[in-house]
Amino acid sequence: MSNQEPQERTDPVDELMTDESPEPGMGYTIEYDDDTDGADAGADDTDTADAEPEATAEPSADGAGTDDEEAAAAANTAAAALDEPDEEDSADDVDDSVFRAYPMFSMRGVTVADAKTGEHIWNDLTMRCEAGTSYGVLVDAHNTRQHDTLVALMAGFAHPTEGSVMTKSTPLHDLTPLELRGHRIGVLLQQFALRGDLSATANLEYAMDASNRNYLKPIAVLAQELLTRVGFVPSGDDNATQAERSRALVRTLGAVDRARVMVAHAIATDPDIVLADEPTATLDEADAATILDLLRAQVHGESKQRTVIVVTTDPHVAGAMDETIDLTR
């Protein structure tokens, strides 16, 4: 892949979302477009030489004795071949097993070209992210177009010119927006992740209701449980204190509390993948560590193992995850 010259930072939301459509779009146009026999024979010769012959058999006129010996030797060779596994076949079996074991999220040979200039924003990008693991994806801080395009590709807002972006064995472009971002992927963006005019509880209820999923509990109960799980509502508070805190409008919250609600919002629909773009951008060092720990903990869902992916320009943030994928090289 090739890195581009530093560019002026633009608001990623301007590129990912428009006022005319609830579904985000890109701010620019993208076009897609055999030794074994010898060994056995040698062993037979040795055994024959060491043994005392009891009698000398006269060969039959039609050579039947010779034929029987050759048949026995062939049978022994075949049995030895069956006992010893063929290394090439074993390697093929392993490759087949790996091919069948699709990761939770993957990019394979992804290329994205700018339709206006033909310039490759990403070229032959490949990565693999497994369930039960958190990943820090490090991108170039000076190339905001690469950064924003990568997030759009991973969230299914945009599709590559070449290659595939997949969850398990399904390309993202084969899924509807509702199925993708309402069921499969929970997206945490710095802007438009939450509605500031709604309370923390209402934001989660809104997301769960819009997903059209069936829940075993009332969504109001689930929303309160999620806020407790992410530490927004301390479990030690009484019900009245929890309810009052949950009703506070998001725009009135501090940065770390907003970040906690954003994590809860991303997992509200119990997705397979949690994708976070610069989740600590507005936090100090201590609060950033808290939110990164919280994100890493989301790989262990109540009913599944998730994949957590954090896209960032900060090496320390990327290094806080279980594994780092460095795309700056």
Side-chain angles (χ1 to χ4, degrees), residues 42 70 74 88 129 146 169 181 196 201 220 240 251 256 267 274 292 298:
E70 291 178 352
E88 184 176 350
C129 301
Q146 275 194 344
S169 60
R181 290 180 291 277
T201 302
R251 64 171 174 243
V256 69
I267 63 173
V274 175
L292 292 175
Q298 301 315 308

Side-chain angles (χ1 to χ4, degrees), residues 54-76:
E54 294 182 0
T56 302
E58 292 292 333
S60 61
D62 57 2
T66 302
D67 291 343
D68 290 343
E69 291 173 1
E70 291 178 352
N76 290 337

Side-chain angles (χ1 to χ4, degrees), residues 44 62 78 105 187 290 307:
D44 290 341
D62 57 2
F105 177 87
V187 182
T290 297
T307 299

Side-chain angles (χ1 to χ4, degrees), residues 58-283:
E58 292 292 333
S60 61
D62 57 2
T66 302
D67 291 343
D68 290 343
E69 291 173 1
E70 291 178 352
N76 290 337
T77 302
L82 291 174
D83 290 339
E84 297 180 5
D86 188 290
E87 293 183 1
E88 184 176 350
D89 289 344
S90 298
D92 291 341
D93 291 342
V94 171
D95 290 341
D96 289 344
S97 298
V98 171
F99 179 77
R100 289 193 298 268
Y102 289 99
M104 184 66 78
F105 177 87
S106 65
M107 286 184 160
R108 301 177 182 177
V110 167
T111 295
V112 182
D114 189 320
K116 295 180 179 179
T117 65
E119 178 186 8
H120 283 177
I121 303 171
W122 287 105
N123 184 38
D124 196 23
L125 176 60
T126 295
M127 69 172 70
R128 179 187 182 101
C129 301
E130 305 287 351
T133 305
S134 62
Y135 296 84
V137 180
L138 185 63
V139 294
D140 188 351
H142 301 288
N143 195 327
T144 58
R145 185 168 63 163
Q146 275 194 344
H147 185 159
D148 297 338
T149 301
L150 179 65
V151 174
L153 290 169
M154 298 178 86
F157 296 147
H159 303 300
T161 308
E162 298 176 8
S164 60
V165 184
M166 305 180 71
T167 172
K168 298 181 180 177
S169 60
T170 304
L172 298 194
H173 62 72
D174 285 353
L175 300 170
T176 66
L178 178 60
E179 185 178 8
L180 179 58
R181 290 180 291 277
H183 294 237
R184 304 289 188 96
I185 300 179
V187 182
L188 192 161
L189 302 174
Q190 281 300 308
Q191 293 178 294
F192 288 98
L194 299 172
R195 288 184 54 177
D197 61 330
L198 296 180
S199 68
T201 302
N203 266 279
L204 303 190
E205 292 175 352
Y206 182 85
M208 288 187 282
D209 186 58
S211 71
N212 288 336
R213 298 192 68 155
N214 294 320
Y215 296 94
L216 298 177
K217 299 179 182 179
I219 60 175
V221 174
L222 290 174
Q224 197 69 24
E225 290 179 354
L226 282 167
L227 292 175
T228 301
R229 188 185 308 169
V230 299
F232 177 77
V233 177
S235 57
D237 288 351
D238 57 44
N239 292 337
T241 303
Q242 289 184 352
E244 181 179 358
R245 182 167 172 76
S246 301
R247 287 195 297 267
L249 296 182
V250 164
R251 64 171 174 243
T252 67
L253 300 177
V256 69
D257 283 336
R258 268 199 314 274
R260 289 184 185 277
V261 178
M262 289 165 69
V263 174
H265 185 272
I267 63 173
T269 58
D270 195 22
D272 297 327
I273 302 163
V274 175
L275 172 64
D277 180 28
E278 297 289 11
T280 62
T282 61
L283 304 177

